[in-house]
Amino acid sequence: MSAAPQRVIIVGGGPTGMTAAHALTRAGIDFVLLEGRHEIALDAGCNLVLSSMGMRALGQLGLLPALKKVSSPVTKFQRLDHKGRDIGDTMFFTYIQQSHGYYPRVFSRYNLMQVFYDNLPAEVRSKTLANKKVSDIRSTEHGVVVECADGTSYEGCMVIGADGAYSVVRKYMRELALKDEQRANTEAFVNEEKPFLTTYRCFWIRFPVLPGLKVGDAFETHGPNMATQFFVGEDSAVVGIYERLDEPTRDPRRCTVVDEKPFVEKWGNLPLTKGTTLTIAEAYAQKMDAGFINLEEGVVKHWSWGGRMVLAGDAAHKFTPSTGAGCNEGIIDIVVLANHLRRAFSSGAPSPDKLNAAFKEYQDARYELATFGCKLAGNTTAAATWPNAIYKFLDLRVFSSKMIQKFFINQGVATTAQTPVFDYIEGEEEIVGKVPWVHAIPSRTQIV
Ligand SMILES: Cc1cc2nc3c(=O)[nH]c(=O)nc-3n(C[C@H](O)[C@H](O)[C@H](O)COP(=O)(O)OP(=O)(O)OC[C@H]3O[C@@H](n4cnc5c(N)ncnc54)[C@H](O)[C@@H]3O)c2cc1C
């Protein structure tokens, strides 16, 4: 059998996979991206907030001007309880702006994905293939063969699994690790079959920007067993309603349209904003689109297998949405991974050992931060849904204090300031605040 092409196969065309497509293009590494849905940019899902960390990395890829056009800055969360009482605003976004010089920005997922797609060079766009649901992955002597449900197959030297919380790449990594007889201690490389625990489900509703709502407005409703996060975007408003399940589960129930009515009957009266009388039921009555998502949480133990497959984004770590971190962290995964891959591919097709070393350095750089981010997000969702008197007290009396908010943001800003950059893409620093970035965007002469 001849050697597999020196090509990376990216499975999944979400934000992580599309960041990888841009990053590999800039690194001069050949790739093909396989996306199971019928289009890369689909009007599916919730709004997303990208922070200075994610925006800076996408800025290095040349996407900042296009991203700014389709997003709006968010300055604060206006918070209320289930009875509509003001429980104090959180000013995290403003404090982030004061430190990094940039307000986080809210996007519809559709607009974000469209920017990713439209800004790929035309000759590269043809390497991002929709309608390619990956159904099998085989490791061969020379590389990997990825089979799709439509009968096509693709050969490469490695796979990036950017295929979300129910990753098939992770599933095949596990099967291969279980079969691998050559390793002395097979157990040490085998991931759990169901690494994520689901404590909450989310029902999201997209509806028009109704009178009384302003683009960039953000609200949260907190209270027992249910909290909302509501963003008013450029072209629509989207609320995510996070409901605590009776029991946490590793086998979350798939909810469908028949579950919507009882859900809205249960929570419909709850208010969504300060200054208007808008309720969940009224938002639902005006819906352009809606759906359920499970909010899995967890960090996968082994992010790669055999120098052939590596995970990134939600496939590797899954957070609740409350801190708006999942997509940002997936982008930074790719920054770190792409830096290592560029070095590994610099002198031709890398051996599995070379790739294995690159994957290990990548996971070592990312694992602890992902674990911390996962816990922080879970605790933030718990605080908003008041599972007990302690969380309720923290939410109402502690997190409403501007001094405490500043304290937390200062800790976060110090960590964010250390975010790595693509070390092979020159550019200007466009996001500048009073806290300097530890790793500067390189100039042409600094790139080796
Ligand atoms: C309600 C809500 C609000 C959120 N808000 C924020 C926020 O404000 N900020 C933030 O940073 N994050 C936020 N997140 C998290 C963010 O959406 C995810 O972290 C992000 O989408 C992860 O991107 P990904 O590309 O890794 O995975 P995904 O977005 O899940 O994309 C995976 C892709 O892989 C494809 N795929 C799956 N299986 C296959 C297969 N077999 N073959 C081919 N393709 C396949 C899927 O179709 C999909 O396109 C939020 C999440 C939710 C649920």
Side-chain angles (χ1 to χ4, degrees):
M1 191 183 182
S2 59
Q6 252 189 64
R7 174 166 74 172
V8 175
I9 301 179
I10 305 169
V11 180
T16 306
M18 286 300 279
T19 304
H22 279 269
L24 295 187
T25 302
R26 299 292 289 264
I29 299 173
D30 189 21
F31 72 90
V32 62
L33 180 149
L34 306 173
E35 165 57 43
R37 296 184 189 165
H38 65 89
E39 266 180 273
I40 301 281
L42 258 190
D43 200 358
C46 290
N47 282 0
L48 291 172
V49 175
L50 289 188
S51 67
S52 45
M53 160 174 119
M55 290 294 274
R56 184 171 176 245
L58 298 183
Q60 263 196 293
L61 297 172
L63 303 179
L64 215 49
L67 289 172
K68 278 189 194 163
K69 279 192 198 149
V70 295
S71 62
S72 321
V74 213
T75 58
K76 63 179 176 183
F77 266 122
Q78 302 183 54
R79 303 187 320 154
L80 50 155
D81 70 6
H82 284 190
K83 297 203 165 111
R85 293 177 295 213
D86 188 339
I87 58 169
D89 298 343
T90 47
M91 304 302 292
F92 295 126
F93 300 136
T94 295
Y95 299 146
I96 290 172
Q97 194 278 339
Q98 288 167 3
S99 303
H100 291 312
Y102 211 77
Y103 283 112
R105 298 181 75 93
V106 61
F107 296 79
S108 72
R109 182 172 164 123
Y110 171 77
N111 284 337
L112 176 63
M113 296 315 300
Q114 196 73 56
V115 168
F116 274 124
Y117 186 73
D118 288 349
N119 286 276
L120 275 175
E123 69 281 8
V124 177
R125 247 178 262 156
S126 59
K127 297 181 187 180
T128 62
L129 309 178
N131 273 323
K132 295 288 176 188
K133 190 171 174 53
V134 169
S135 54
D136 193 17
I137 305 178
R138 281 180 287 118
S139 171
T140 67
E141 193 188 336
H142 300 289
V144 277
V145 179
V146 176
E147 310 271 356
C148 296
D150 66 357
T152 52
S153 68
Y154 298 85
E155 262 186 277
C157 59
M158 60 164 279
V159 170
I160 299 178
D163 50 343
Y166 295 92
S167 169
V168 293
V169 177
R170 196 176 66 227
K171 177 181 151 214
Y172 288 110
M173 274 171 50
R174 182 171 188 278
E175 283 180 13
L176 287 163
L178 279 169
K179 276 192 217 149
D180 193 345
E181 290 168 356
Q182 286 171 5
R183 294 191 194 280
N185 181 5
T186 303
E187 292 280 295
F189 298 91
V190 178
N191 281 319
E192 284 175 62
E193 192 180 357
K194 295 171 187 170
F196 300 147
L197 186 69
T198 303
T199 305
Y200 310 89
R201 65 173 175 168
C202 166
F203 181 55
W204 58 271
I205 309 168
R206 178 182 298 281
F207 56 99
V209 180
L210 301 171
L213 300 176
K214 277 198 322 297
V215 174
D217 273 350
F219 302 93
E220 290 185 340
T221 307
H222 292 196
N225 298 320
M226 191 283 272
T228 68
Q229 284 191 314
F230 174 30
F231 293 100
V232 184
E234 292 285 314
D235 49 4
S236 58
V238 181
V239 58
I241 306 159
Y242 313 146
E243 183 192 51
R244 180 181 287 276
L245 303 177
D246 294 337
E247 283 295 328
T249 171
R250 290 189 186 271
D251 296 300
R253 187 163 63 101
R254 293 272 156 215
C255 297
T256 64
V257 73
V258 298
D259 300 294
E260 293 182 9
K261 201 164 162 245
F263 187 92
V264 174
E265 275 168 10
K266 182 173 178 191
W267 298 113
N269 288 336
L270 298 195
L272 286 179
T273 73
K274 288 184 193 172
T276 76
T277 55
L278 183 67
T279 61
I280 289 175
E282 284 158 7
Y284 184 68
Q286 307 262 358
K287 75 174 190 289
M288 296 151 72
D289 202 359
F292 284 97
I293 325 173
N294 293 304
L295 301 183
E296 305 85 355
E297 289 175 73
V299 180
V300 172
K301 201 160 170 201
H302 308 291
W303 292 14
S304 68
W305 177 84
R308 293 292 187 211
M309 297 183 212
V310 64
L311 303 175
D314 278 12
H317 45 70
K318 186 71 172 55
F319 307 170
T320 63
S322 299
T323 51
C327 185
N328 287 286
E329 294 293 348
I331 291 167
I332 303 304
D333 285 351
I334 296 301
V335 172
V336 177
L337 181 60
N339 287 341
H340 287 296
L341 288 183
R342 179 172 167 271
R343 283 189 279 279
F345 278 77
S346 62
S347 48
S351 65
D353 283 347
K354 202 167 184 182
L355 285 174
N356 227 353
F359 297 165
K360 183 175 178 324
E361 284 191 62
Y362 153 65
Q363 175 169 349
D364 286 350
R366 298 296 298 146
Y367 188 84
E368 232 175 83
L369 284 165
T371 307
F372 174 77
C374 183
K375 279 195 187 130
L376 182 66
N379 282 333
T380 307
T381 311
T385 50
W386 301 0
N388 57 44
I390 297 173
Y391 275 108
K392 182 176 174 183
F393 174 79
L394 286 172
D395 193 38
L396 293 181
R397 303 277 168 251
V398 181
F399 300 143
S400 55
S401 151
K402 302 289 179 288
M403 225 170 64
I404 304 250
Q405 291 172 21
K406 253 205 160 135
F407 171 79
F408 279 119
I409 282 297
N410 287 343
Q411 311 292 308
V413 160
T415 308
T416 306
Q418 299 181 46
T419 303
V421 293
F422 290 108
D423 59 17
Y424 58 92
I425 303 179
E426 64 172 293
E428 298 287 316
E429 203 68 75
E430 292 179 71
I431 298 183
V432 185
K434 66 179 184 208
V435 176
W437 297 104
V438 174
H439 303 284
I441 293 177
S443 62
R444 183 182 292 260
T445 52
Q446 288 169 314
I447 294 174
V448 282

